[in-house]
Amino acid sequence: MADTTSSQNTRRRASSAFSASLLLMASALLSGVLGLVRSKIIAYFFGVGPAVDAYNGAFQLPDTVSYLLIGGIASTTFVKLLTQYESEGRQADGDRALSNVLNVMTIVLSGALAIAGVFAPWYVRHVLELRDPETTRLCVQLTRILLVNQLLLFAGGIFGSRLLVRKIFIYQALQPLLYNGGIIAGALLLHARLGVHSLAIGAVAGAFFGFFLINYIGARSIGMRWSPVLNLRDPALREWLKLSLPLMLGQSLVTLDLWIRNHFAGHTPGAISLMSYSRQLFNAPMQIIGPAAGAASLPFFASLWVKDKSAFNSSVNRSVSRLLAVSLLLTSVMIALAHPIIDVALRGGKFHSSDASATAYLFVLFCFSLAFWASQNLYSRAFYAAGDTLTPMISGTTVTVLALPLYALLFRTHGLPGLVIASDIGIAAHMIALVVLLDRKGMVRVADLEWPELGKSLLAAILGGCAAAFSLRYLPQGVTFATALLRLATGTGAWLVVVVVVLLLTRSALPDVVLRRRAKSALAAVPLAEASDAPDR
C-alpha cells in the first residue's frame, strides 16, 4: 500500500511539473512572438541610432540598483523561504514574513532609486559613456522614467513567490505577455507625439499590470494578506537577506554581460541598438527553451532536494540533457537562416538593409552561445534549490573578473563582433564552472547527463543546418518581405525534415518528448530554466 501511494504521489508530481512546463512554455512562445512584434515596431519607427541607444541604455542604472539591493531576483530567494513556512503549515507566519520583507525593502529601494535619479546624468556619462550630448540627455530622461519599474518588479516578485510556492503558474505565464503588450501599445499609440519616450512609458505600464497588479491579485486570491509591519529584527527578514546577500554582492556575466557590452558600445552611435536588436532576436527562442517554463523548476527542485537527493540529481540532469539537445538543434537553424530571420523580423521602415546585414552578423555570433546561456540558468537554480546562493555567486564573480580583460581586448581588435565573441566565451566559462562545482559537491553528477542523446542531437543539428543553408541556394535573393518569408519558410522546412528523420533513424527519445508530448515521465519536473524578475526589453 505504501509503495502504491508513493507511486501515485510521484505520478502526480510528474503530471503537475509537466503541466506547469507546458503552460509556461506556451506563455514563452506567445511572449516570444510578442517580443518579435515589439522589436519589429521599434525597428520600424526608430531604426538604428541614438534614440534606440538611449532607450536600451536607460534600463542599466535601474537594473544596477535592483541587483545591488535585492539581488535582482527577489522571487527566487523568497520561494525557498516561503517553502519552509508552507511545509510546516504556517501560512499566516509566511504572510507576515512576506509583508515585512516587502515593506522594509520597498522603503530601502525607494530611497536608493531616488538617489539614482539624482546621479543619473553622472552614470550615463561615465559608466555608459555615451558621447553625444543629445543622446546623453535623452538617456537620462528615460532612465528616470524607468526607475519606478524596479519597485513594481520587486513587489510583483514577492507576491509572485507566494504563487510559485503553491505551484500556481498561470499568473507567471501572463507576466511577459502583459509587459510586452504595454511596450507595444505605448509605441503604437504614443510614438508620434512622444517619440522614444513612448517605449519607456509603455514599459512602466507593462510592469505595473504585468508584474505588480496581476501577482497581487493572484496572491490575494489564494488568501495572502498584506500587513503594515516593519520589523528589522524579524528572523525571516534576516534569513531572506542571508539568502539574497550573495546575489547582491556578487554578480555573474548573466547580469553584467549586457552592461559590459553597453559600456564599450556606447562609444559608437547606433552600436548599442545593433547589439540590442540581435540579442532580442537571440532571446526569442531562448525564452522558449530556457526561461520558458523555468519558474516551475525552483519549487520542484527544492522539494526534491529535501526529500530525495538521488531524484534531484536525476531530475536536473534530465532537464539539462533535454535543454542542451533542443539548444543544439535551434542553434543550427538560427545560424543557417540568420539573414532571412532578420529580414522578416526587422527590416522595414527606418531599419534599412545595411542595418539588417550588421544585425545578422552579430546574431550569428550570439547563436553559438545558446546552449550555454540556457543551461547555466538551470544549473544555478540547482544551487538555489539546495539553499546555496554563495557558491554560484563566488563562481560567477570570479569568471566575470577574469573575463573583463577579454572584453576590452576583443573590442579593441574586432570591434562589436569582438564583444559578442567575448560574451560567448565568458558565458561558456560560467556554465562550465557551475557544472564542475555541482559535480564536485556531489549534487549533480555530470556523468549522468544523457550523452548518447546529446550526440544524436548534435548529428541532427549539423545535418539539418546544412540542409537549411543548402536550400537557400535555389531561392531568389530579393529584399522584399515576401521573398524573405519564402526563404525562411523553405529553409525551416528543410531543416525540420532532416532533423526529424535523423532523430528517428538514430532512435532518439527527443521526438517523443518535444514533438509528440507523450513522454510525460521524461519531462517530469523538467522546467527548463528560470527567468529572473527582470523582464526582457
Side-chain angles (χ1 to χ4, degrees):
M1 176 66 76
D3 290 342
T4 301
T5 302
S6 176
S7 177
Q8 290 174 344
N9 290 337
T10 299
R11 284 195 295 270
R12 279 196 216 97
R13 286 197 301 270
S15 177
S16 178
F18 182 77
S19 299
S21 295
L22 287 184
L23 172 65
L24 292 177
M25 287 175 70
S27 167
L29 178 61
L30 292 175
S31 177
V33 172
L34 282 180
L36 293 176
V37 172
R38 180 198 64 206
S39 297
K40 178 76 171 182
I41 291 173
I42 295 174
Y44 188 88
F45 288 141
F46 302 105
V48 172
V52 182
D53 285 349
Y55 169 69
N56 286 298
F59 285 91
Q60 189 161 311
L61 178 57
D63 286 350
T64 300
V65 175
S66 172
Y67 277 96
L68 289 176
L69 288 182
I70 57 176
I73 41 178
S75 61
T76 298
T77 49
F78 211 73
V79 163
K80 178 68 177 178
L81 188 62
L82 284 183
T83 298
Q84 181 178 347
Y85 284 105
E86 191 76 16
S87 64
E88 297 171 358
R90 300 164 56 203
Q91 286 84 2
D93 291 339
D95 283 347
R96 282 191 292 272
L98 181 151
S99 298
N100 190 53
V101 170
L102 176 62
N103 298 340
V104 171
M105 293 308 299
T106 295
I107 293 173
V108 173
L109 187 57
S110 296
L113 292 172
I115 295 172
V118 174
F119 286 95
W122 178 90
Y123 185 92
V124 170
R125 284 195 300 267
H126 298 286
V127 178
L128 275 177
E129 292 196 356
L130 295 177
R131 300 293 175 85
D132 178 64
E134 181 61 25
T135 305
T136 299
R137 183 190 64 81
L138 181 58
C139 187
V140 170
Q141 293 175 353
L142 297 174
T143 295
R144 288 170 172 165
I145 294 173
L146 291 168
L147 283 168
V148 70
N149 266 18
Q150 299 308 319
L151 287 173
L152 300 172
L153 296 176
F154 171 69
I158 292 294
F159 291 134
S161 64
R162 184 74 154 78
L163 298 164
L164 292 179
V165 170
R166 292 285 186 91
K167 298 180 176 61
I168 299 173
F169 301 105
I170 182 62
Y171 300 95
Q172 183 90 9
L174 293 173
Q175 285 178 186
L177 307 181
L178 293 174
Y179 179 76
N180 278 321
I183 298 177
I184 292 171
L188 292 176
L189 298 176
L190 301 174
H191 78 277
R193 285 181 290 172
L194 301 179
V196 77
H197 288 82
S198 62
L199 302 178
I201 293 172
V204 173
F208 176 79
F209 290 105
F211 284 84
F212 171 74
L213 185 61
I214 194 172
N215 280 317
Y216 175 74
I217 293 173
R220 291 278 296 182
S221 72
I222 61 171
M224 186 277 297
R225 294 295 179 264
W226 173 84
S227 57
V229 58
L230 281 174
N231 183 4
L232 298 179
R233 298 183 178 181
D234 181 33
L237 175 62
R238 295 182 179 182
E239 180 65 19
W240 180 79
L241 289 173
K242 178 182 176 182
L243 289 172
S244 300
L245 192 60
L247 301 176
M248 301 175 191
L249 297 179
Q251 299 297 334
S252 72
L253 284 178
V254 176
T255 303
L256 297 181
D257 171 67
L258 172 64
W259 303 352
I260 296 169
R261 287 188 283 108
N262 282 352
H263 171 77
F264 290 106
H267 300 173
T268 306
I272 293 178
S273 304
L274 285 174
M275 282 201 300
S276 176
Y277 285 127
S278 59
R279 180 67 193 212
Q280 286 168 8
L281 290 181
F282 169 76
N283 284 344
M286 196 172 76
Q287 285 179 334
I288 300 172
I289 65 167
S297 65
L298 193 59
F300 286 111
F301 285 172
S303 177
L304 285 174
W305 176 257
V306 172
K307 297 176 181 177
D308 189 340
K309 302 295 192 298
S310 176
F312 174 84
N313 170 69
S314 299
S315 183
V316 173
N317 272 315
R318 192 182 304 116
S319 301
V320 172
S321 296
R322 298 290 187 262
L323 178 59
L324 289 175
V326 176
S327 297
L328 291 172
L329 297 175
L330 285 179
T331 297
S332 68
V333 70
M334 290 162 65
I335 291 175
L337 304 179
H339 285 279
I341 288 174
I342 301 299
D343 287 341
V344 169
L346 296 176
R347 183 179 288 187
K350 294 185 178 180
F351 195 88
H352 307 300
S353 58
S354 58
D355 301 325
S357 297
T359 302
Y361 183 44
L362 297 178
F363 175 75
V364 167
L365 294 177
F366 272 125
C367 287
F368 285 105
S369 64
L370 178 63
F372 302 118
W373 276 102
S375 58
Q376 63 78 28
N377 222 341
L378 190 54
Y379 281 126
S380 295
R381 271 55 192 177
F383 277 110
Y384 299 157
D388 183 358
T389 55
L390 181 62
T391 299
M393 179 276 283
I394 295 175
S395 172
T397 303
T398 302
V399 171
T400 301
V401 171
L402 295 177
L404 283 173
L406 183 65
Y407 280 88
L409 174 63
L410 292 181
F411 177 67
R412 284 199 302 268
T413 57
H414 294 84
L416 289 185
L419 287 178
V420 181
I421 294 171
S423 171
D424 292 349
I425 296 172
I427 201 63
H430 175 61
M431 189 273 278
I432 292 171
L434 292 176
V435 171
V436 171
L437 290 169
L438 284 167
D439 188 76
R440 287 187 175 181
K441 287 176 173 287
M443 297 169 63
V444 179
R445 294 184 296 272
V446 67
D448 292 339
L449 281 171
E450 298 174 358
W451 293 106
E453 283 296 320
L454 293 177
K456 297 171 185 177
S457 295
L458 179 61
L459 176 62
I462 293 173
L463 296 178
C466 290
F470 186 76
S471 68
L472 298 185
R473 298 177 60 183
Y474 299 95
L475 296 174
Q477 296 282 343
V479 295
T480 65
F481 179 83
T483 302
L485 188 60
L486 174 63
R487 291 170 61 83
L488 178 59
T490 303
T492 302
W495 170 83
L496 184 60
V497 168
V498 172
V499 163
V500 171
V501 169
V502 172
L503 291 178
L504 291 176
L505 289 177
T506 58
R507 297 183 178 180
S508 169
L510 194 61
D512 219 24
V513 174
V514 177
L515 300 177
R516 302 189 185 110
R517 304 294 188 190
R518 290 199 310 230
K520 288 189 178 182
S521 61
L523 276 177
V526 186
L528 300 179
E530 175 168 341
S532 81
D533 293 337
D536 181 35
R537 309 301 182 222

